[in-house]
């Protein structure tokens, strides 16, 4: 999605305020639940940290990430992150972080993700690639409330690996996508690591939306639901340009989630 039209300081501040003050209209739901799904090392956990960094205006790193997780997913548990906005209050959306997808039999079990979408997976569940969660297991929530269910599904994929992503990985994501569509869960995608994906981008992140190379990359969901993001990973301070891209994606997640919970 191209957001260059709102790169004014005012607009940026308005979206920032919207994100911080947002409350779901449906009072059955305390917080929107946004589930992040994608290949290992794509930047799922980093995106959670990036959102918290934007909200707080300083670099945050509560969700653990790993530079060396090339072999297997660093995130192993189903964990929900609230985004603190200061003095004991938090935003009215949460992120469900998941184990990364892998090709073959490794990584998060696709069926576990489908169960998570329906709210059947309890907080802290340790993903097991060899065995899917089953009714009767301690971590199986048989009676999920609307709050336990996922309200927005976000695919997180590294922009520089999309064109070399194996069919098996696409098929797993497609499998989840069809299940989520059946449940009418809104979906969008963020392409991370855009700083590495295109030469020229690293010097000025604002240029990333102009890159035709990135624009052409599709995940099987409509182009206006794909957002380009550079996560806060090496920076020591937040900056308006990076914030704007993260806020643009986040605002759409909130709008989609709000529509979903109002239609339940
Ligand atoms: N250059 C760059 N590095 C990134 C970006 N996003 C994440 N990374 C790095 O990529 C590595 C993996 O990031 P994580 O956030 O742990 O990825 P993940 O999707 O949670 O991975 P698993 O939990 O292993 O499935 C870390 O070293 C991050 O610093 C980005 O936008 N740009
Ligand atoms: Mg992770």
């Amino acid at each position: 999605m191209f957001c260059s039209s709102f790169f004014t300081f005012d607009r940026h501040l308005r979206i920032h305020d919207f994100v911080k003050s947002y409350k779901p209209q449906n009072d059955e739901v305390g917080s929107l639940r946004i589930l992040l799904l994608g290949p290992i090392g794509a930047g799922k956990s980093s995106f959670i940290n990036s959102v918290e960094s934007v909200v707080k205006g300083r670099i945050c790193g509560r969700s653990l990430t790993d530079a060396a997780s090339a072999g297997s997913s660093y995130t192993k548990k189903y964990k929900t992150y609230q985004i603190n906005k200061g003095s004991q209050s938090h935003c009215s959306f949460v992120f469900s972080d998941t184990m990364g997808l892998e090709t073959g039999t490794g990584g998060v079990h696709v069926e576990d993700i489908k169960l998570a979408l329906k709210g059947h997976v309890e907080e802290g569940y340790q993903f097991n690639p060899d065995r899917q969660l089953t009714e009767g297991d301690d971590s199986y929530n048989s009676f999920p409330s609307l709050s336990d269910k996922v309200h927005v599904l976000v695919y997180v994929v590294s922009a520089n690996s999309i064109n070399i992503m194996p069919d098996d990985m696409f098929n797993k994501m497609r499998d989840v996508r069809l299940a989520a569509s059946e449940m009418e869960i809104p979906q969008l995608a963020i392409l991370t690591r855009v700083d590495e994906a295109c030469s020229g981008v690293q010097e000025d992140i604002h240029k990333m939306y102009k890159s035709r190379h990135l624009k052409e990359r599709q995940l099987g969901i409509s182009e206006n639901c794909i957002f380009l993001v550079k996560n806060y990973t090496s920076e020591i301070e937040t900056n308006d340009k990076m914030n704007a891209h993260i806020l643009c994606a986040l605002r759409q997640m909130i709008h989609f989630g709000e529509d979903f919970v109002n239609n339940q």
Side-chain angles (χ1 to χ4, degrees), residues 5 75 257:
S5 57
T75 302

Side-chain angles (χ1 to χ4, degrees), residues 41 43-46 63-66 73-76 97-100:
K44 301 177 290 296
S45 305
S46 299
S63 180
L64 296 180
T65 65
D66 182 27
S73 184
Y74 190 63
T75 302
K76 309 267 190 223
D97 198 6
T98 62
M99 184 182 202

Side-chain angles (χ1 to χ4, degrees), residues 192-249:
T192 58
R193 294 170 167 270
V194 286
D195 50 317
E196 296 171 342
C198 271
S199 58
V201 167
Q202 215 154 358
E203 301 104 65
D204 184 354
I205 195 165
H206 190 56
K207 287 182 190 156
M208 69 188 183
Y209 282 108
K210 294 182 181 154
S211 163
R212 290 186 65 205
H213 173 72
L214 294 175
K215 189 181 163 190
E216 282 162 18
R217 303 288 167 230
Q218 296 279 336
L219 277 171
I221 62 175
S222 62
E223 200 178 323
N224 62 359
C225 294
I226 300 176
F227 295 82
L228 304 175
V229 164
K230 155 80 177 91
N231 280 318
Y232 279 114
T233 54
S234 54
E235 297 73 13
I236 52 168
E237 280 182 47
T238 59
N239 67 71
D240 290 345
K241 280 182 185 168
M242 282 179 61
N243 285 356
H245 290 274
I246 294 162
L247 283 169
C248 181

Side-chain angles (χ1 to χ4, degrees), residues 137-204:
D137 289 349
D138 285 351
S139 294
Y140 190 97
N141 176 359
S142 300
F143 304 103
S145 66
L146 182 56
S147 281
D148 296 325
K149 295 180 184 174
V150 169
H151 310 130
V152 188
L153 170 60
V154 177
Y155 304 97
V156 182
V157 179
S158 159
N160 60 10
S161 72
I162 262 205
N163 49 348
I164 52 163
M165 205 154 80
D167 286 349
D168 187 24
M169 184 71 79
F170 271 117
N171 290 341
K172 285 187 178 185
M173 289 174 63
R174 185 163 188 275
D175 191 359
V176 175
R177 185 154 54 82
L178 294 179
S181 301
E182 186 85 0
M183 295 172 221
E184 298 183 5
I185 297 173
Q187 298 157 61
L188 45 89
I190 54 174
L191 301 189
T192 58
R193 294 170 167 270
V194 286
D195 50 317
E196 296 171 342
C198 271
S199 58
V201 167
Q202 215 154 358
E203 301 104 65
D204 184 354

